[in-house]
């Protein structure tokens, strides 16, 4: 069918923006994948979950879930050519809500992901004078965040956080408003090589520190007994989903900007392996640095605290930076890398929301970008620019990221494969446009993974409902944790009722079902029941 022009699918998407080419797409997708999750989440997760032995579930998760689901999202976006709600609506007329669920998760994540980038931006500047050197822990929670009491809500703003937060939002709004090509694409084309270079220098420097080898040993010494613990496996799958930005509708939206005749599968492998390579590199860099700290304090690495989460980046790292020769430069490289990695991920999340609003309400990219950016900026500043932002972040993250995305992934698989009956169609679509062909094994994997996802969802939901989370007051969790879940559901249920302001009726996927060797289906007649 390669000689078949795009005429089979008239005009509806002609105005849709496009990447300038395959490399731009790959860089943007890697930009989304490589983020805070690679630099601070992966090393801590690996260390806590069996060290070197964690690499086994990690690689298994990458191969059995990461790559297959990435292909699925890319296939849906590419074949049905739309933001998540539009593409899902075309997959099945009742599945639009799944797309809005993705968009709502992106909205929530955008609000707090920005806060962390803002902290990193502050710390980038603090590094030049080593402002945190006397007491990194006290500096972070006290002087800098001016942290209030857990489980409370405060509206007193912290100026140190407010200014970088506003700056990150302004950058984000400008990049989005410049459009896919001049904004999003350019940010990634410049940002990703820059990130690889800065982080590369950082890792080389870290490896030459005394004690580096002990740190790396601590990270990679395998504890094989961890492999019998189901939680270790869940952690590996969770890490892969977060790290590859899967089930957020991001990879779906990004694939929808590729031209119809585009190779999808091989670039998918480049994205997946590129992301994991960066992740392992980050693990090595971070633990080499931690090894130096242990060496300075003359204790084994295992006895150090604060090797995960925000504390690792904003307390432990500053402590090391303060003690090492060339610390200011090292600090600037580390926090600069966090800012760039975070920004390219944040942009992908915001673009996913903006694309959905453009499709649904017929908005111009610039108008949509500004609207989404301004609303998010205001909410993010109110929620996370205050003295209780860190706690809110912790709770909202659990519900949206640990629970929400698993639900989003299950819903997407169910809509496309189980209710939409699109299995063969998507498999043949990928094979028709790509150099690397997919066999039935791909469908088997996606279905098998969904069983695991359902198990993960159930375990997490039960544990949050029964045990709460980290000792926060029940009422606080009810409002901000379960409230977040309710918001996601409400978006999924309400948004499909609103009218489409554009023609979504005259859409025919290309290659047509017939060209894929499938019997005619409902796409060969106009989609029923759509407004406008
Ligand atoms: N993949 C990003 C990271 O590893 O930090 C996080 C992320 C970005 C998750 C974008 C979801 C998303 F839509």
């Amino acid at each position: 069918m390669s000689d078949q022009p795009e005429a089979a699918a008239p005009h509806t998407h002609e105005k849709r923006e496009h990447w300038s080419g395959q490399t731009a797409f790959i860089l943007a997708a890697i930009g989304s994948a490589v983020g805070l999750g690679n630099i601070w989440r992966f090393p801590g997760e690996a260390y806590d979950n069996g060290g070197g032995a964690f690499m086994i579930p990690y690689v298994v998760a990458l191969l059995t879930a990461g790559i297959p689901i990435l292909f699925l999202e890319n296939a849906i976006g590419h074949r049905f050519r739309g933001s998540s709600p539009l593409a899902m609506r075309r997959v099945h007329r009742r599945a639009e809500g799944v797309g809005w669920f993705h968009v709502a998760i992106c909205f929530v994540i955008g609000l707090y992901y920005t806060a962390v980038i803002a902290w990193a931006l502050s710390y980038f500047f603090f590094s030049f004078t080593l402002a945190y050197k006397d007491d990194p822990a006290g500096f972070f929670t006290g002087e800098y965040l001016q942290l209030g009491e857990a489980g409370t809500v405060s509206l007193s703003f912290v100026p140190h956080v407010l200014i970088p937060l506003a700056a990150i939002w302004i950058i984000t709004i400008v990049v989005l408003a410049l459009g896919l090509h001049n904004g999003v694409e350019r940010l990634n084309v410049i940002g990703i090589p820059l990130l690889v270079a800065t982080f590369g220098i950082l890792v080389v420097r870290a490896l030459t520190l005394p004690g580096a080898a002990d740190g790396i040993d601590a990270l990679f010494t395998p504890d094989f007994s961890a492999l019998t613990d189901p939680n270790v496996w869940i952690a590996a799958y969770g890490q892969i989903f977060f790290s590859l930005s899967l089930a957020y509708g991001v990879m779906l939206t990004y694939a929808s900007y590729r031209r119809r005749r585009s190779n999808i599968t091989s670039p998918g492998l480049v994205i997946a392996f590129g992301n994991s390579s960066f992740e392992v590199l980050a693990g090595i860099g971070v633990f080499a640095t931690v090894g130096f700290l242990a060496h300075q304090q003359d204790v084994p690495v295992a006895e150090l605290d604060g090797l995960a989460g925000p504390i690792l980046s904003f307390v432990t790292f500053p402590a090391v930076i303060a003690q090492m020769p060339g610390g200011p430069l090292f600090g600037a490289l580390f926090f600069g890398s966090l800012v760039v990695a975070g920004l390219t991920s944040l942009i992908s999340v915001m673009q996913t929301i903006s694309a959905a609003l453009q499709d649904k309400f017929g908005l111009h990219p610039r108008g949509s970008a500004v609207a989404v950016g301004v609303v998010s900026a205001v909410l993010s500043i109110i929620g996370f620019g205050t003295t209780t932002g860190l706690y809110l972040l912790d709770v909202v993250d659990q519900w949206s990221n640990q629970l929400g995305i698993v639900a989003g992934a299950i819903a997407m698989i169910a809509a496309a494969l189980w209710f939409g009956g699109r299995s063969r169609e998507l498999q043949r679509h990928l094979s028709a446009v790509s150099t690397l062909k997919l066999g039935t094994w791909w469908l088997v994997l996606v279905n098998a993974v969904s069983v695991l996802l359902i198990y993960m969802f159930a375990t997490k939901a039960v544990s949050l409902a029964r045990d709460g989370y980290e000792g926060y007051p029940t009422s606080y969790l009810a409002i901000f944790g379960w409230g977040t879940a309710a918001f996601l559901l409400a978006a999924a249920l309400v948004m499909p009722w609103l009218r489409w302001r554009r023609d979504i009726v005259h859409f025919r996927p290309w290659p047509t079902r017939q060209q894929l060797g499938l019997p005619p289906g409902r796409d060969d007649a106009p989609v029923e029941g759509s407004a406008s």
Side-chain angles (χ1 to χ4, degrees):
M1 90 290 307
S2 56
D3 55 0
Q4 188 73 22
E6 298 195 0
H11 66 69
T12 42
H13 36 74
E14 249 146 39
K15 281 184 277 157
R16 195 166 184 76
E17 297 174 285
H18 284 292
W19 302 115
S20 62
Q22 175 154 299
T23 313
F25 163 71
I26 292 179
L27 286 175
I30 290 187
S32 174
V34 171
L36 307 175
N38 299 57
I39 301 178
W40 89 19
R41 199 169 184 279
F42 172 79
E45 287 289 293
Y47 182 70
D48 280 346
N49 289 290
F54 184 73
M55 292 315 288
I56 297 172
Y58 177 82
V59 171
V60 171
L62 173 66
L63 298 178
T64 59
I67 292 173
I69 306 267
L70 177 63
F71 285 168
L72 176 68
E73 268 205 69
N74 280 345
I76 295 174
H78 189 242
R79 180 159 183 79
F80 296 101
R81 311 204 66 71
S83 59
S84 214
L86 177 57
M88 291 310 295
R89 170 74 173 74
R90 286 170 172 167
V91 161
H92 186 291
R93 53 185 300 256
R94 298 211 179 281
E96 184 186 331
V98 176
W100 290 111
F101 192 83
H102 292 160
V103 171
I105 296 187
C106 284
F107 179 69
V108 171
I109 290 189
L111 301 183
Y112 67 81
Y113 206 77
T114 321
V116 184
I117 305 173
W119 303 344
L121 183 60
S122 299
Y123 270 66
F124 171 75
F125 289 109
F126 294 156
S127 294
F128 292 104
T129 55
L130 296 181
Y132 39 66
K133 73 170 181 297
D134 294 335
D135 171 17
F139 183 86
F140 180 56
T141 51
E143 209 169 315
Y144 181 61
L145 289 182
Q146 300 181 3
L147 205 55
E149 200 185 323
T152 61
V153 178
S154 129
L155 273 184
S156 49
F157 290 99
V158 186
H160 305 109
V161 180
L162 219 51
I163 296 167
L165 195 53
I168 297 291
W169 277 113
I170 291 170
I171 298 172
T172 305
I173 293 172
V174 170
V175 171
L176 284 178
L178 284 171
L180 188 78
H181 182 68
N182 292 327
V184 178
E185 182 173 318
R186 200 168 288 171
L187 174 80
N188 284 290
V189 167
I190 300 171
I192 294 305
L194 180 72
L195 176 65
V196 171
T198 48
F199 211 78
I201 299 174
L202 187 118
V203 173
V204 171
R205 172 69 185 112
L207 286 174
T208 55
L209 290 168
D214 298 334
I216 296 173
D217 264 359
L219 176 62
F220 287 117
T221 303
D223 165 14
F224 287 108
S225 66
L227 297 183
T228 53
D229 178 355
N231 290 324
V232 167
W233 288 84
I234 291 184
Y237 278 84
Q239 174 63 25
I240 287 289
F241 269 84
F242 183 73
S243 182
L244 263 179
S245 313
L246 292 181
Y248 296 82
V250 168
M251 293 299 179
L252 189 160
T253 306
Y254 270 14
S256 77
Y257 296 125
R258 298 213 58 196
R259 295 187 187 278
R260 288 180 165 253
R261 229 181 285 276
S262 290
N263 193 355
I264 303 288
T265 51
S266 318
L269 294 182
V270 175
I271 295 161
F273 288 115
N275 177 60
S276 286
S277 311
F278 191 95
E279 199 146 84
V280 174
L281 184 76
I284 292 174
V286 167
F287 268 81
T289 314
V290 164
F292 169 72
L293 182 66
H295 176 84
Q296 291 298 93
Q297 300 185 352
D298 208 12
V299 292
V301 175
E303 279 174 27
L304 292 175
D305 289 329
L307 296 185
I311 300 299
L312 174 62
S313 295
F314 292 100
V315 176
T316 311
F317 244 75
V320 186
I321 292 164
Q323 291 181 22
M324 70 194 273
L329 180 62
F330 191 86
L333 284 176
F334 178 73
F335 290 109
S337 300
L338 268 184
V339 171
V340 176
L343 209 50
T344 52
S345 297
L346 175 67
I347 288 291
S348 72
V349 167
M350 301 311 294
Q351 178 68 25
T352 300
I353 309 171
S354 169
L357 299 182
Q358 287 168 41
D359 283 346
K360 181 91 182 183
F361 301 113
L363 298 180
H364 185 272
R366 183 170 307 159
S368 179
V370 173
V372 171
V374 170
V375 171
S376 302
V378 170
L379 289 176
S380 146
I381 287 172
I382 295 177
F384 301 101
T386 62
T387 53
T388 46
L390 180 66
Y391 304 119
L392 185 61
L393 188 153
D394 190 21
V395 168
V396 172
D397 177 68
Q398 274 296 308
W399 267 262
S400 60
N401 247 329
Q402 311 283 323
L403 198 62
I405 66 142
V406 185
I410 300 168
M412 179 173 69
I413 297 174
L417 306 189
W418 305 342
F419 298 106
R422 303 284 185 181
S423 307
R424 285 279 163 227
E425 183 178 339
L426 290 170
Q427 178 207 346
R428 291 194 190 174
H429 177 93
L430 284 176
S431 297
V433 296
S434 305
T435 42
L436 173 80
K437 316 283 178 209
L438 299 184
T440 305
W441 56 266
W442 173 60
L443 292 170
V444 172
L445 277 178
V446 175
N447 282 292
V449 162
S450 62
V451 176
L452 180 82
L453 289 172
I454 292 172
Y455 171 75
M456 278 170 69
F457 179 79
T459 344
K460 190 76 204 175
V462 168
S463 112
L464 288 176
R466 201 184 44 199
D467 312 329
Y469 175 64
E470 297 274 319
Y472 285 99
T474 316
S475 55
Y476 188 82
L477 296 182
I479 298 173
F480 296 108
W482 295 107
T484 300
F487 166 74
L488 302 178
L489 262 181
L493 295 175
V494 171
M495 293 303 286
W497 288 93
L498 304 183
R499 206 167 74 90
W500 285 90
R501 298 287 158 77
R502 51 171 286 180
D503 177 11
I504 60 162
V505 179
H506 296 101
F507 175 79
R508 278 253 215 112
W510 179 89
T512 62
R513 288 178 59 92
Q514 206 178 6
Q515 287 166 332
L516 295 179
L518 293 163
R522 60 195 105 99
D523 299 324
D524 300 307
V527 182
E528 309 155 43
S530 51
S532 84

